[in-house]
Amino acid sequence: MLKMKMRVRVLLFGVLKDIFERSEDALDLSPGATVSDLLEHYRQLVPDDARFFQSLALAVNQEYASADEALHDGDEVALLPPVSGGAGTVVRSHKFHCEIVRERIASEEIVQRVKQGEDGAVVIFEGIVRNHTHSRQTLFLEYEAYEPMALSQMNALAEKVLANYKVREIAMVHRLGRLEIGETSVLIVVASAHRAAAFDACRFAIDTLKRTVPIWKKEHFTDGAVWADGEPFPDDVRLDGASGGQAR
């Protein structure tokens, strides 16, 4: 008796949407199929674009997955190109606040909300849309995200900052959709008793967010539009497409 196929939902983001000309698939796989098997299916569809598979990460049910992880009927699988680097606000404790929005980021209001009397330093990072990239004039940017996972990763990052740095509070807000020149795309605010810890934590937060939170940027220029090259995923979540999808 033949075994029934299992069906998974596949989400495509960033440049992968352009390559495959769609943002979502329903894919039938044989029982026992793995993340690596799914990746090979998409690699064979576009052999001329194999280079894109060398830097992908995959998520299963909104968690980063290794190449040998088994898939099951009904799973949601996301193919994630390197991130560039709305869901509702999630606040798990008074010590951090993470949010994904589509309206203007209210930087001043957020900074004032974070500040407390015991703070000796508040370090603020704002990512701003600039009017050029490598001498090409920028018209505007568009950001998209795998929103449930992005917010989950932001919350996990905030918890990691609080666990590893002597800071009192952190707020992180990222905006999606169309952004004009001069607008804020991401805001990070870190409050601490001492400036060194606040600076270190803020730098770690933005650098890690840009590598691990699934948010992508499309740059619109006067002569066309491209998805921005993302920073490489960390080795523990990136799949090595050159070796058939083995985790690095």
Side-chain angles (χ1 to χ4, degrees), residues 81-102:
V83 298
S84 66
T89 302
V90 172
V91 181
R92 295 182 184 172
S93 76
H94 69 284
K95 293 185 177 181
F96 72 87
H97 169 98
C98 297
E99 192 172 3
I100 295 175
V101 301
R102 284 184 167 78

Side-chain angles (χ1 to χ4, degrees), residues 6 18 26 41 66 80 83 92 96 105 114 126 130 148 179 187 193 209 234-235 241:
M6 64 178 179
D18 294 345
H41 166 82
S66 62
L80 309 173
V83 298
R92 295 182 184 172
F96 72 87
I105 295 177
V114 169
E126 286 196 71
R130 61 177 178 264
L179 277 73
L187 171 73
L209 183 152
D235 288 346

Side-chain angles (χ1 to χ4, degrees), residues 77-148:
V77 183
L79 273 65
L80 309 173
V83 298
S84 66
T89 302
V90 172
V91 181
R92 295 182 184 172
S93 76
H94 69 284
K95 293 185 177 181
F96 72 87
H97 169 98
C98 297
E99 192 172 3
I100 295 175
V101 301
R102 284 184 167 78
E103 66 275 7
R104 183 185 69 84
I105 295 177
S107 300
E108 293 183 6
E109 290 87 340
I110 293 170
V111 172
Q112 290 303 316
R113 189 163 66 235
V114 169
K115 284 183 179 180
Q116 298 294 327
E118 61 266 40
D119 298 326
V122 173
V123 172
I124 304 161
F125 172 83
E126 286 196 71
I128 306 297
V129 179
R130 61 177 178 264
N131 62 9
H132 71 283
T133 298
H134 302 307
S135 75
R136 299 177 72 183
Q137 182 180 350
T138 302
L139 298 177
F140 62 92
L141 301 182
E142 285 184 289
Y143 283 89
E144 71 165 31
Y146 183 17
E147 293 188 44

Side-chain angles (χ1 to χ4, degrees), residues 196-215:
F199 274 116
D200 291 345
C202 191
R203 178 62 180 265
F204 172 80
I206 185 58
D207 287 350
T208 305
L209 183 152
K210 286 291 186 180
R211 297 188 68 194
T212 64
V213 177
I215 298 175

